[in-house]
């Protein structure tokens, strides 16, 4: 009887130890990933170069508008090449300064979908 209780206690202790180690490794991975992303972001930003806009043409082909110094350039970016297309005058561009798109939470998106489904049912579109 005493041996069975001891085995159960050992099993619980082992489970808790593995759980604590798992949570520690998970938290460590999270913080190292955040630190690495911040470090790489600080290394990749420059005062003289900036990506203004990009449009995907196919899986590995893009047209991008970039700023280098005071000039704005349109470039084609492919898998193995980058080709300058043209220089664009600054007054022809629509650049929104500091406008950051807020990423909605999953709950916000789900509630919007639910509202649109309710509206469709009320309009009789859902058949």
């Amino acid at each position: 009887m005493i041996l069975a209780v001891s085995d159960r206690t050992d099993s619980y202790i082992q489970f808790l130890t593995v759980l604590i180690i798992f949570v520690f490794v998970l938290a460590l991975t999270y913080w190292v990933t955040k630190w690495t992303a911040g470090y790489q972001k600080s290394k990749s930003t420059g005062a003289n170069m900036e990506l203004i806009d990009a449009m995907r043409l196919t899986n590995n082909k893009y047209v991008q508008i970039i700023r280098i110094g005071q000039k704005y350039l349109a470039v084609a970016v492919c898998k193995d090449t980058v080709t300058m297309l043209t220089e664009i005058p600054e007054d022809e561009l629509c650049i929104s300064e500091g406008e950051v798109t807020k990423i909605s939470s999953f709950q916000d998106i789900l509630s919007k979908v639910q509202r649109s489904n309710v509206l469709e049912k009320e309009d009789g579109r859902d058949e």
Side-chain angles (χ1 to χ4, degrees):
M1 183 72 164
I2 294 174
L3 189 59
V5 172
S6 176
D7 286 341
R8 253 192 241 155
T9 306
D10 288 344
S11 295
Y12 288 132
I13 291 172
Q14 279 183 337
F15 173 73
L16 288 175
T17 304
V18 169
L19 186 63
I20 290 169
I21 291 172
F22 174 73
V23 169
F24 174 75
V25 169
L26 197 62
L28 183 65
T29 304
Y30 173 78
W31 290 112
V32 167
T33 303
K34 294 287 269 182
W35 177 80
T36 304
Y39 178 77
Q40 288 178 346
K41 184 177 181 182
S42 69
K43 290 293 182 185
S44 68
T45 57
N48 292 312
M49 295 190 331
E50 179 182 12
L51 174 65
I52 303 299
D53 201 359
M55 185 177 83
R56 181 186 213 159
L57 300 176
T58 63
N59 282 342
N60 57 359
K61 295 180 182 174
Y62 298 86
V63 173
Q64 297 180 345
I65 299 174
I66 58 174
R67 180 187 57 81
I68 298 179
Q70 297 299 319
K71 294 184 178 184
Y72 291 89
L73 307 171
V75 294
V77 180
C78 301
K79 182 178 179 184
D80 296 327
T81 61
V82 176
T83 307
M84 185 177 129
L85 301 175
T86 186
E87 185 175 336
I88 304 169
E90 185 175 357
D91 58 341
E92 291 184 13
L93 293 173
C94 298
I95 301 173
S96 56
E97 296 285 332
E99 185 177 311
V100 178
T101 311
K102 181 184 174 198
I103 299 174
S104 300
S105 68
F106 179 75
Q107 184 65 37
D108 294 339
I109 295 170
L110 183 62
S111 62
K112 286 179 185 177
V113 169
Q114 288 174 339
R115 273 188 256 130
S116 68
N117 285 341
V118 168
L119 291 175
E120 286 178 0
K121 286 180 183 179
E122 288 174 357
D123 291 341
R125 286 186 260 171
D126 190 35
E127 296 175 14

